[in-house]
Amino acid sequence: TQLIPFEAGKRVNYTLFSHKKSSYRIALASTASASEQWAAQELQLWIKEISGAELPIQSLNQPFDGPQIVVGFN
C-alpha cells in the first residue's frame, strides 16, 4: 500500500438551487433531437419536483450570462 498525495485545486461549491430558486438554465442546441428535448424536459420536471425551482429550457443560441446545464451532443 502506498499513499500518493493528490490535490485538484481549491474546492469550489456550486449551488444548483436554493429556496426554490436557481440561476441555472437547461440549454439545448437548436437542432436537438426528440430524445434530447425529452431528456431536458425530464430534468426540468425532476429538479422542480425536488427543489421547487423551475429551470428554463432555452436554446444555446439565446444569450445567457449564468451557469447552464447543456443537454445533448453539442
Side-chain angles (χ1 to χ4, degrees):
T1 303
Q2 180 181 9
L3 178 63
I4 301 172
F6 174 78
E7 185 175 314
K10 183 179 177 183
R11 181 180 177 148
V12 178
N13 291 320
Y14 296 96
T15 302
L16 178 56
F17 52 80
S18 180
H19 304 289
K20 299 183 179 184
K21 298 201 181 295
S22 179
S23 58
Y24 281 75
R25 75 171 179 177
I26 300 169
L28 289 167
S30 58
T31 58
S33 68
S35 62
E36 290 169 338
Q37 292 173 26
W38 176 84
Q41 291 168 353
E42 284 291 298
L43 179 61
Q44 181 188 50
L45 172 76
W46 289 107
I47 288 176
K48 184 173 183 178
E49 180 73 20
I50 64 172
S51 71
E54 186 168 354
L55 281 65
I57 298 174
Q58 298 176 340
S59 170
L60 282 168
N61 298 334
Q62 290 179 267
F64 189 74
D65 291 331
Q68 58 189 352
I69 301 170
V70 180
V71 176
F73 182 74
N74 296 291

